[in-house]
Amino acid sequence: MSPLAFLTRPERWLKAFHKHRGTIAAAPNFAYELCVRKIADADIDGVDLSSWRAALNGAEPVNPETLDRFAERLRRTASAAPPSFLCTASPKPLSP
């Protein structure tokens, strides 16, 4: 999926996961936040994410509240318990 396709309609990511029975996904924190903010309940009605086992979050600072909101959103609207999150925060820039 192209970054532009995801940014314009993030529900496509979850629908692709449903279609292909994905098990692991990796994304930066903003991707999970975008899903929480932009996806309407009707957009993922009937999406089955029960195959999803692990969600990796990294490449930028990880916000635990984002992960909580994303997990709660999946509990309410998708046919699945939320995946386990594996988080890695981006390293601090090196000072000269």
Side-chain angles (χ1 to χ4, degrees):
M1 171 175 302
S2 77
L4 185 57
F6 171 74
L7 290 172
T8 57
R9 295 193 48 212
E11 70 274 8
R12 291 177 181 169
W13 182 43
L14 301 181
K15 288 180 178 182
F17 228 79
H18 163 83
K19 179 180 178 182
H20 299 290
R21 305 299 297 154
T23 58
I24 299 172
N29 195 81
F30 89 86
Y32 297 104
E33 186 67 38
L34 190 66
C35 286
V36 170
R37 290 182 183 203
K38 284 193 73 173
I39 298 175
D41 290 350
D43 291 337
I44 55 172
D45 186 41
V47 170
D48 179 1
L49 301 175
S50 60
S51 64
W52 199 346
R53 300 291 176 248
L56 298 119
N57 184 343
E60 65 184 33
V62 174
N63 183 339
E65 290 83 20
T66 296
L67 303 183
D68 290 342
R69 286 192 302 271
F70 184 77
E72 180 59 31
R73 184 63 186 281
L74 293 186
R75 275 188 208 95
R76 288 186 297 124
T77 57
S79 300
S84 297
F85 284 97
L86 306 171
C87 304
T88 59
S90 61
K92 293 181 180 180
L94 297 175
S95 298

